[in-house]
Amino acid sequence: MTAYALTDSWTMTRRELARWGRQPVQLVVNLVFPVMLLLMFGYLVGGGRGVSGEYRDYLIPGMLALTMAFGLEGTMIAVTRDLDKGVIDRFRSMPMADGAVLVGRSAADMLQSALALVVLTGVGAALGWRVQGGPAAFLGAVGLLLLFRFAMLWIGIYLALVAGKPEMVQAVQILVWPIGFLSNALALPDTMPGWLGTVVEWNPMSHTATAVRDLFGSPGAESGHVWAAVVWPLALLAVFFPLAVGRFGRLSR
């Protein structure tokens, strides 16, 4: 039964990957957008007030975390488009494992997210950013980033299932922006008003960014955040994964 479910999920993953060939522009935009943000904040907007050392070294780990929060609209639009056109209803009428459509969609998104990390770290290296930790710390940081993305992804899938139509995605997607910018991805909480700094410090993405900086050996690092960078995404997954699966199971009933 497990092999059956994995086969169905891989079939749905290949379906989503085939979209890359048919819609390469969307893939390129998703990869280039975080690079543009990095260059804009690093050279046009960013000042690094209060950051000890190079602001670039503080910014790049934060941008990696920010990239994991952004770009969910592609997945959300794909899910709502399949819902709106009745594609998911047709899949559900076939002898297919429950949830294979969602697993395939999430697997394709995670592959794109991993590719985005490769591109952004490559650009960072070209700009002179260097990881101070060892290979194990680097892989740990990448793991935390992908775990955060996985949690955000299932929040997006659930919201897409609730929205139901592609036109509603833009309204829902705007909720992601406060999560991204009300964080320490771009600036130190100590430089913000007291109440705002408190909000920023409680943001799950801030814990991920801080833990990643710690593992990379970057400015703004604080020890003791790795556990929070693991617990927060797992807690979000514990809430939104069953919500998404349950919502999917109730479709067309």
Side-chain angles (χ1 to χ4, degrees):
M1 191 67 180
T2 301
Y4 174 68
L6 289 175
T7 301
D8 288 345
S9 298
W10 173 238
T11 300
M12 291 295 99
T13 301
R14 288 192 291 111
R15 171 180 177 261
E16 297 299 336
L17 294 179
R19 295 178 192 257
W20 293 10
R22 296 193 300 269
Q23 301 173 349
V25 174
Q26 183 64 43
L27 175 62
V28 172
V29 168
N30 289 338
L31 296 178
V32 171
F33 179 67
V35 174
M36 292 176 58
L37 284 181
L38 171 61
L39 297 176
M40 181 178 69
F41 282 103
Y43 292 98
L44 296 178
V45 180
R49 185 161 58 96
V51 175
S52 59
E54 289 283 345
Y55 178 57
R56 172 200 61 209
D57 296 333
Y58 176 88
L59 175 65
I60 290 175
M63 282 302 308
L64 292 173
L66 197 63
T67 301
M68 296 298 96
F70 284 1
L72 293 174
E73 64 273 9
T75 290
M76 296 173 70
I77 289 173
V79 172
T80 53
R81 185 184 293 124
D82 284 349
L83 279 172
D84 195 41
K85 293 182 177 180
V87 175
I88 288 182
D89 288 337
R90 290 196 291 273
F91 281 143
R92 285 171 56 82
S93 67
M94 299 170 64
M96 180 183 295
D98 291 340
V101 176
L102 299 185
V103 172
R105 180 59 249 178
S106 62
D109 186 287
M110 292 302 294
L111 288 172
Q112 180 175 305
S113 299
L115 182 58
L117 287 180
V118 171
V119 171
L120 201 55
T121 53
V123 172
L127 296 177
W129 173 65
R130 297 293 182 267
V131 176
Q132 304 302 318
F138 177 81
L139 292 176
V142 171
L144 290 179
L145 290 167
L146 291 176
L147 177 61
F148 179 69
R149 175 63 174 190
F150 194 59
M152 292 296 297
L153 172 62
W154 281 96
I155 295 174
I157 289 175
Y158 172 69
L159 293 178
L161 292 171
V162 171
K165 293 184 177 296
E167 296 80 13
M168 295 295 295
V169 168
Q170 190 172 19
V172 175
Q173 173 66 14
I174 200 172
L175 298 174
V176 176
W177 289 84
I179 296 175
F181 286 109
L182 287 177
S183 72
N184 64 1
L186 307 175
L188 287 169
D190 294 343
T191 64
M192 305 173 187
W195 66 271
L196 184 59
T198 300
V199 172
V200 165
E201 288 176 349
W202 274 95
N203 187 335
M205 202 185 88
S206 293
H207 290 291
T208 296
T210 302
V212 167
R213 289 186 179 110
D214 184 29
L215 293 172
F216 284 156
S218 302
E222 296 179 11
S223 60
H225 283 261
V226 171
W227 70 271
V230 173
V231 171
W232 263 114
L234 291 179
L236 293 173
L237 277 171
V239 173
F240 286 96
F241 181 82
L243 283 176
V245 173
R247 182 80 181 187
F248 182 78
R250 292 192 298 272
L251 293 176
S252 301
R253 285 186 178 176

